[in-house]
Amino acid sequence: MKKKAIITGVTGQDGSYLADLLLKKGFKVYGVVRRTSSDPFYRLKYLKIEKNIDFLSTDLSEHQRITSHINLIKPNFFFNLGAQSFVDYSYKSPMYTDLINNTSVLNILETIKNTSKKTKFYQASTSEMYGGYNSRKMTLNENSIFNPFSPYAIAKLSAYHYTKMYRNSYNIFASNGILFNHESPIRGEQFVTKKIIKGLLEIIYGNKKDPLSLGNLYATRDWGHAKDYVNAMYKIINYKIADDFVVATKKNYSVKDFINLTCKNLGIKILWSGEGLKEVGKDSKGRILININKFFFRPLDVNNLFGDPSKAIRKLKWKRKYDINALIKDMILYEKKKYFK
Ligand code: NAP
Ligand code: F7E
């Protein structure tokens, strides 16, 4: 009989790549999907897998329905990737963020404990939990201190602790993947890497007249490729014991570095001038490509996140295929296809 996996957040970036991976490994994949007025399946269609998934139409806030799916299916694996995942929005909607990113996780763990104890659980934890005032040079690992800044990070940190608590108290196989930022061609359009690549291509190939407006150019992140990171999720849930693992590249770049690398890949020379809200990036003809808008600043931004994945490399034998340039090239290729069919 095929092994069964439930994925929440199956329509998202990671859920789509993970579903693809699990289908290739012969799993029966159940995907939790909430109702939306527009088509949520574009990523699954892009990967040509939407017909191979059994969809469970449920919002994560519908706790009883999630419970009944687990009871009926008794999955081998439960990957909890569904979340209100946009840090910026969590400041605007903290209670909703907490309901989905924290209370819903507790509901899933309680259900596994009560009715499906053999189900192995993976929680999508995040580098945002570290928050803090870390320097650009300081790497973070499984033993580093958490100092969450945003409602998103606080909710995720609570869910991280629940996951550990259910593992330690009830002997449930429940693991956290503490993933640093990871991107891909199918990254959500609000996130900064996708916004930069899509925005620059709109200006260069799509005749967009206005510059691309961004916020804090000096935050640094450790950016990997989502395809490499779903491989890590699979290794984490298949590891001999439940545990917590950092997944990162051990390289970090600022938002401005990411723009410079994207421009280099596109063959554009970008010249920076001005400071603060007046800073602009111009092309060699003097056209403004990037400007700054205070709307995109957060009440409190995490300035530096830099991960050390040594434990995952050592224990899980996790390897990644993409570096930052390969990631950028992959994202550009996807956007370019919109202009050159
Ligand atoms: P994403 O693209 O934003 O996907 C989030 C998924 O959650 C979508 O399928 C979304 O459905 C679903 N969802 C949101 N609210 C829901 C609700 N109330 N009920 C049911 N489903 C709901 O995020 P991602 O980048 O793939 O990230 C996957 C997970 O990893 C998230 O938990 C995120 O917080 C975490 N994470 C991400 C990163 C990263 O850099 N990508 C790093 C660390 C951790 P719709 O399609 O309907 O919106
Ligand atoms: O911001 C700065 C912004 O929204 C990255 C999620 O997947 O990774 C993601 O969270 C940085 C921040 O990602 C804009 O202030 C500047 O410093 O792409 P982001 P994030 O907040 O790091 C973590 C690990 C997760 O868990 C989350 O789910 O870029 N920035 N200007 C901007 N950010 C955005 N979005 N838009 C701008 O215009």
Side-chain angles (χ1 to χ4, degrees):
M1 213 174 65
K2 280 186 170 188
K3 280 194 173 177
K4 294 178 282 186
I6 295 182
I7 304 176
T8 67
V10 75
T11 55
Q13 170 186 261
D14 293 5
S16 303
Y17 282 125
L18 180 68
D20 192 29
L21 178 75
L22 294 180
L23 287 166
K24 284 183 178 134
K25 290 193 181 286
F27 276 76
K28 185 164 178 56
V29 175
Y30 297 86
V32 174
V33 186
R34 61 174 165 172
R35 191 210 158 261
T36 45
S37 58
S38 52
D39 181 10
F41 297 114
Y42 80 92
R43 294 181 172 103
L44 298 169
K45 285 179 184 160
Y46 165 71
L47 297 172
K48 300 191 177 65
I49 56 171
E50 85 278 13
K51 294 203 171 69
N52 307 332
I53 295 168
D54 284 51
F55 292 109
L56 309 169
S57 177
T58 308
D59 195 288
L60 278 166
S61 60
E62 292 289 341
H63 294 157
Q64 286 180 345
R65 278 179 62 77
I66 296 285
T67 296
S68 83
H69 294 315
I70 298 173
N71 285 340
L72 281 175
I73 296 165
K74 299 256 181 326
N76 302 82
F77 293 162
F78 193 110
F79 289 94
N80 187 39
L81 311 186
Q84 189 305 90
S85 67
F86 193 38
V87 174
D88 192 31
Y89 183 70
S90 76
Y91 286 101
K92 286 150 197 138
S93 199
M95 290 175 69
Y96 173 73
T97 302
D98 193 75
L99 173 65
I100 302 306
N101 296 8
N102 179 32
T103 313
S104 296
V105 185
L106 179 55
N107 174 60
I108 295 162
L109 287 163
E110 226 356 58
T111 306
I112 291 175
K113 181 194 93 181
N114 290 334
T115 66
S116 189
K117 261 196 112 169
K118 287 194 180 144
T119 296
K120 293 186 174 184
F121 177 77
Y122 172 92
Q123 169 59 14
S125 289
T126 164
S127 51
E128 280 294 308
M129 300 184 313
Y130 295 113
Y133 301 93
N134 306 305
S135 82
R136 189 174 176 166
K137 290 188 180 152
M138 189 178 140
T139 55
L140 300 157
N141 66 21
E142 294 79 3
N143 302 317
S144 303
I145 290 165
F146 296 120
N147 182 9
F149 276 1
S150 61
Y152 169 81
I154 293 168
K156 283 280 185 179
L157 183 56
S158 172
Y160 160 91
H161 282 301
Y162 277 133
T163 301
K164 277 184 93 159
M165 190 277 261
Y166 274 70
R167 173 168 86 219
N168 295 332
S169 309
Y170 305 118
N171 204 21
I172 284 166
F173 192 107
S175 295
N176 285 291
I178 308 172
L179 271 50
F180 282 63
N181 297 50
H182 47 281
E183 321 292 309
S184 74
I186 53 172
R187 180 61 149 148
E189 295 193 354
Q190 288 175 308
F191 299 101
V192 77
T193 56
K194 181 70 165 181
K195 192 174 158 184
I196 291 166
I197 288 174
K198 184 168 177 280
L200 285 174
L201 265 76
E202 276 169 356
I203 296 172
I204 298 160
Y205 300 118
N207 283 327
K208 187 175 176 285
K209 300 279 177 278
D210 297 329
L212 172 66
S213 296
L214 296 170
N216 180 7
L217 298 183
Y218 296 95
T220 68
R221 290 291 183 273
D222 178 331
W223 280 295
H225 195 303
K227 272 193 190 174
D228 283 333
Y229 286 40
V230 300
N231 281 328
M233 291 178 193
Y234 187 73
K235 283 177 177 286
I236 289 170
I237 212 166
N238 278 293
Y239 190 55
K240 57 188 176 199
I241 51 163
D243 201 351
D244 306 322
F245 293 93
V246 161
V247 181
T249 69
K250 215 175 177 185
K251 305 257 182 243
N252 63 348
Y253 299 88
S254 67
V255 173
K256 194 170 179 178
D257 294 334
F258 192 92
I259 298 169
N260 290 336
L261 286 170
T262 302
C263 286
K264 200 168 169 202
N265 271 286
L266 289 169
I268 302 166
K269 199 168 166 51
I270 186 158
L271 298 157
W272 295 96
S273 59
E275 272 181 25
L277 292 175
K278 297 228 167 78
E279 184 161 14
V280 287
K282 293 182 187 168
D283 68 9
S284 53
K285 291 182 188 141
R287 178 173 55 163
I288 299 179
L289 301 175
I290 310 277
N291 65 14
I292 305 300
N293 185 332
K294 64 176 188 298
F295 176 80
F296 296 109
F297 284 84
R298 296 173 184 177
L300 188 59
D301 201 8
V302 175
N303 277 327
N304 298 295
L305 287 175
F306 185 17
D308 177 1
S310 302
K311 181 176 169 185
I313 293 169
R314 199 174 64 253
K315 294 200 168 181
L316 305 174
K317 313 277 174 249
W318 176 68
K319 283 191 196 125
R320 63 185 169 86
K321 289 193 182 133
Y322 290 84
D323 65 7
I324 189 104
N325 276 308
L327 167 69
I328 290 173
K329 281 193 171 63
D330 202 24
M331 293 177 76
I332 289 176
L333 189 67
Y334 177 90
E335 289 300 321
K336 247 189 182 171
K337 283 186 187 147
K338 293 181 188 164
Y339 301 98
F340 305 100
K341 295 212 167 136

